[in-house]
Each structure stands twice: as C-alpha cells, then as structure tokens.
Amino acid sequence: MNINPAESIGDLKKSHPHILFGTELDENSGNEQFLLSMYDSVQASIFVVDVLEDGDFQYVALNPTHERWLGISSEDLKGKKPEDILSPVDAARVRQHYADCVRFGKTISYEQCLQFQGVATWWSTTLTPLRDGNSRIYRLIGTSSNITPAKQVAQARGIQAEREQLLEAIAQRIREFLDLEKILRQTVKEIRQCLNCDRILIYHIQPDGSGTIVAESSVTAGGSLLGKNFRDPGFSAKYKERYGRGCIQIVEDIYAAGLHPEHIDFLASLQVRANLVVPILLQQDLWGLFSAQHCYEPHQWQQIEIDLLKQVATQIGIAVQQAELHQQIQQLRAKLDLQAQQHQVQLQQAQNFQALVQRITEQIRDNKNETQVLQTATQELARLLKLDSCYIELYSHCRTSVSVAYKYATTNLPPETGFTRKIGDFLEIYQLLLAKEYRQSIEIVPGWHPKLYVVTQLACPIFDDQGILGNFWLLRPTQEMFDEFEIELVQQLANECAIAIRQARLYENTQVQVRELEKRERLKNEFLRTLSQELRTPITSISLAAQTLESVLTPEGILDIEIVPQLLQILHNECGRESKLINDLLTLTYLETDPAPPTLIPIDLQTWLPPIVESFRDITSCQQQQLKLTIETALLPLETDITDLERIITELLNHTCKYTPAGESITVSARLTGDTVQLSITNSGLEITAHDLSRIFEPFYRLSKNDPWKYSGTGLEMALVQKMVKHLGGSIQVESAAGQTTFIVKFPRALLHD
C-alpha cells in the first residue's frame, strides 16, 4: 500500500504522541519534541507493539521510515496482529521473538527473513521491553534495519563456492563413469539443491520436434514427468534455431513474459511459474534442453544461476557425447565380434584349404595396418590359386568411381596401382558388384596383339552390413572357370578384408578421438592454470586493500570499535585462505600436466627432519596432543627435492593434527625398509572407514565430521601430497585400523645417496 509520509507523520503526532512511553507527551517540551523528531526522521525503522493482558500482541504504530520500506501506513497497521499482515509461517516466527523478549524481560536482537508484498527481505531487529508502574511489560519498541543487500551478497558468494565444487564434482563424475542415466540423475539432483528451486528437467529432443524427459529432480506435489514424451507448443522452428545458436530463455513469470497463450497453458499444466531454459548442444547440434523451474511463485533469475546452468549444460553435452561414442564403439565391437565368429565357422568348413586360410586370417586379425593386411591378402591369394594377377579396388566415398589400391602380379597385366575408373563407363559390370554379387567371365586382354591373351576373371565384392567397400579381382591365365569352392574361398577372404578395413578405419577414428580427448584434457588444465593465475590478482588487491584500510583506520581510532578488528581479521584470514587455494590449484594443475624434473640434493633426515616436526610442538601442546619423533640411525642421506619433501611432511602433519582428538598421540618415524626409506606419520584416536580411505586423496574431499578442531583448509592438501610424492618418484598409502591411522611415504633406494 502506498502512503504519503508527510500525512503519516502528522497523524502520528496528533494521534500517538505517547507511543514510546505510554503517557501523554507535552509537544511544547524540548526533550519530548526531540523524541518525536527522532521517531519521525531517523533512518532506522521503528515499530511499536502492545503486549495485551492475555499475552497476545498487536501493533500500535510505525515510524515514517518503516512505512516507506513496508508500504503499509501506521494507521492501517494500528490494532492488527502479526497474522493480519504476515504469512502464517512468518507470523509464527515474529510471535516467538516477541514472546522471547517478554519472557527474558530484556532487550534482544535477531535477524529474520520476511515476505512483504511478495518480496522476501532480510531484517536485523532489536526489541526493547517497556514496563508500567507494576513492572509489567506492556509494550515492545522495535528497531529494524534492512540487511537484504548484504544477505544477497553472502548468498551469492555461497552459491559461487557451491557452484565451483558442483562443477568439479560433475566433471569428475563424467570422467569416471560411462552410465549417462546415472550422471544425469545425480546432476539434476545436485543442481536443484544448489539453486533451491522446485524442479530441474533435462528434455531430450527427438528429430520430429517432440521430446522426452530423461532426467528430473522435483519437490512439487504433482506427479513425476520422468520418461514422459510430449511436444512443447513453445518449441517452434524459430526457437529451435535460437537454441541451436546457444540462446537461452529466461521467464520470471509466465503470465508477465509475453508468451503465447497456448504456451502459457502448457507451462501452467506442468505447474511452472518461472522457467530458465538452456540448450544442450552436441557437436553444434541441439540435443536437448536443460530447465530450472519455480512452480508456485515468480522468481527473478540471478546471473550466477544462469551462468551455472550454462556451464552444467556444457558438461552434460560432453557426457552425452562420451556416452554415444562409447555406445558406438561397443556396437562396432559387438558387430566385429559377431562377424569374426561367422567367418571362423565358414573357414572351418574349408578342409582342403584350412591351413592357408588360417594363415591369412591370422595376419588380418593380428594387424591393424590396413595396407599391410590387404597387400598380404592379394599376395597369398595369388599364390594359393596360382593367379597371374590379383588386386583390390576401393570405391570412392560417393561410389562414383573405383581405384586400384593393392595389387600382386607375376606379369605386367593391367591395371596398375592407382588406376581409377568411373562406374558409369562400366555400368554393366558394376551394377552386379554393387548389388553384392560376384561376377565371373572369360576376357581377352586388350593390347596383347598379335598374340591373344585370354584370361578368366573373377570379381568378388568386399562388403559388410554397413555397405560395400571395394572389389577383389582375380585373373587366371586359362579359360578354366573358378569353381564354387574357390569362389567361396574368395568371398570369405573378401569378408576378412572388410573386417580389416573397418577395423583399421575404426582404429584410426578411435585414435583421433583419443587425441581429441587428450587435447581437451590439456586445454582444461591450461584453463585451470590460467584461471588460477587470473584469480591471484584480485586476491592480492583485496589483501592490500585490507592492509591499507587497517593503516588508515588506526590513526582515526576506529579500530577501537570492537567489530572493526574482527572484520579486518576475517578479511585477512579469508584472503590468505583464498590465496592458498589458488596456489594449491596452480601446483596441482602443474603436477597434472608436464612438470619439470625435481631438483635433487642429498639431505640427512636425522638433522633435517627434527626442526620441521618441532615446529608443530606448540599447536600439539595447545591441543593437548603428544608429539613423538623416531629416526633410525642407519639411514643414508636421501636425494630428493627439499622444498617438495618439506611441503609433503608439513601437509601430512597439518592433516594429522587436524583430526587427532585431545589426549591422543602423533608419531613421526623414519626408517630403512628393504630397498626403500619409509616416512610414517601415525595418530591415535581416529579410525577412517574403508570408503573414506579410498577417497582421501581426492581433491576437495574432507573428513569434516571427524575434525574436532574445526580447521579450515583448501581441500586440495592430500591431492597435492599424492601428486608431489609421485613427482619425487615415491609412493604414498594410508592405513587405518585398531583406533589409529598411518600415512606411509616410501622412496626407492635409487633415490638414496650412497
């Protein structure tokens, strides 16, 4: 409700001059006039609540500032109870705060989120009780400040951090699993929880324009849409073309977005009120749509939510492509296996030529080189059937011409390798071959006059269930026709050659895909490294700004205010933590790519290790932990990178101190075991489950429920330790049993300095 602030102030002065103290005020009195002036003009929101005899609460008045913020006049509010202006849930919370203030009999402060005119706002409120002459609390004076912007910033930061972890988890899941259904099911669940929306859908679009819901996560009261096939009336050819270009659709309220009435009815039937749709592209083609929905009220989509959905849609596209490639490879393998079995049965029936056919078959099976296999096939077949010439011709992609690719001959009979002929010039011959039928004839070889040279020709097509690939040509210097068994033998060999060709091409395509995946992995690591380097600059600037702010505030005496040093300390701590996260991410990315060899120098563990362990003495004493060190005297100097080894020991001790309860012990030991030097760090009072042991070296994996000291960290420490140990040529393992956990780092004797 919109009101005139000037009129409200006048009404308050006329009607409620006693709202603060419950007594009539003399408006001519300077002090009382001053109080009214404060009530009217102060920028903080002030409201007054009466405590009734039966313990109920009703509102008395608002100051002009509160009227402007709420859009409710003081006069309209007067005499109303919390349920009259708030939702049932918000009213119950407000009543509880009022009751607490009366019960405790003193001023209380709290933060809460309330809905006013459909908008959620955050308030920081202080309630002060007023007592009458009988010491009964009869009135509450409340002051509130609108802290919505600060809360939104905090929520955005939380979403940003959660988004980064979520994207990493999704990418990791795609790398580890090939089950697309499982990946999509878990992804929509995590995204819905992250965005706190009512429903997340993945809609797979069919060639005819219809689509199927292939993944859903929902908290709506309606039934599930998973597996349902329907056509969205809003998905026209224009929208399909826009989605294919990567455009997105943002609808904050279907009734206010200018949508077609038919589209509005469709969305309403699915209980959709606000809708955010991002395309899922597969090699520049539109595969489906990724949609986040609010079902009961409008929602203003934030840029951080839009960016998250776009990034996850990209990851889903990668997962779909990976799954389809895997499925194609599996299908091809299954077909090749089936064909190999069928051909093996045919070869076993050829008793007289079994040995020769077996030799040719083994060469084809064991060799992925198409050229070598087909050249061998022509040579073996020519020798087997005593041919003058044997060659293989392959069709062009559009099958309008053929070229001689492989040839073996004992005479100079045409054609030569590389010779090409057009299908249209020999249509009578190639019609039969393209129909996958063999052709046999007796021909006079042109160019051999005056002596005629008559040969018998057999042309046998090379094909499989995917199509025709080429032809086998056999020339025998007699007029004797090829018998049925010989034709069957050639057909079998042609089938084997088809397998060899498909296998070689599949292998080549697979190698191309492997190189592409390696390229993408390299680009991902380069992106992470570049991102980390770019993040260093703002973190450094923030840290310098905090230091500058502290130096500026110190002379002014503002640091004497209790909250200022705390805020500065938080700012310093968080800057340091973010800086460490960036450095750890850079180091991890560096170790995952192609790191330079470590700089190895010999170190004496007996003199080098104690100072590092002793540096943790203060923190273990503070946490009532016992720290012990044992070093075997017979240890030889260890040749290693001293910086990396110190980082490994420090991170393992930090991790151990973090998860060791008070009163327990931490033991660091170094000894020679066989051909290795073994460094062990053991703590008592903690036993890790087998599931956690298998994941302890994963990035961002924490044993938070077992952390008695509530330490913070980047979550990359153990992953870095594992990478650095591997980089130094060592190995690391963790064991946990009988109430204790041990990290064991081993370096081979080759790294020991004799």
Side-chain angles (χ1 to χ4, degrees), residues 628-689:
K628 304 174 184 178
L629 172 63
T630 59
I631 304 178
E632 188 175 274
T633 57
L635 276 180
L636 293 173
L638 177 65
E639 196 171 67
T640 186
D641 189 308
I642 189 170
T643 302
D644 285 352
L645 184 59
E646 182 176 355
R647 178 75 182 275
I648 291 168
I649 299 299
T650 301
E651 292 292 357
L652 287 175
L653 279 171
N654 276 326
H655 183 273
T656 305
C657 291
K658 176 180 178 180
Y659 292 106
T660 302
E664 301 294 337
S665 63
I666 300 172
T667 302
V668 182
S669 63
R671 61 192 179 96
L672 191 63
T673 304
D675 293 335
T676 63
V677 60
Q678 178 174 303
L679 301 175
S680 302
I681 299 178
T682 303
N683 67 319
S684 61
L686 173 66
E687 186 171 332
I688 305 175
T689 65

Side-chain angles (χ1 to χ4, degrees), residues 41 214 367 380 403 695 753:
S41 62
V214 296
N367 200 321
E380 290 290 337
S403 298
R695 300 188 60 190
H753 187 72

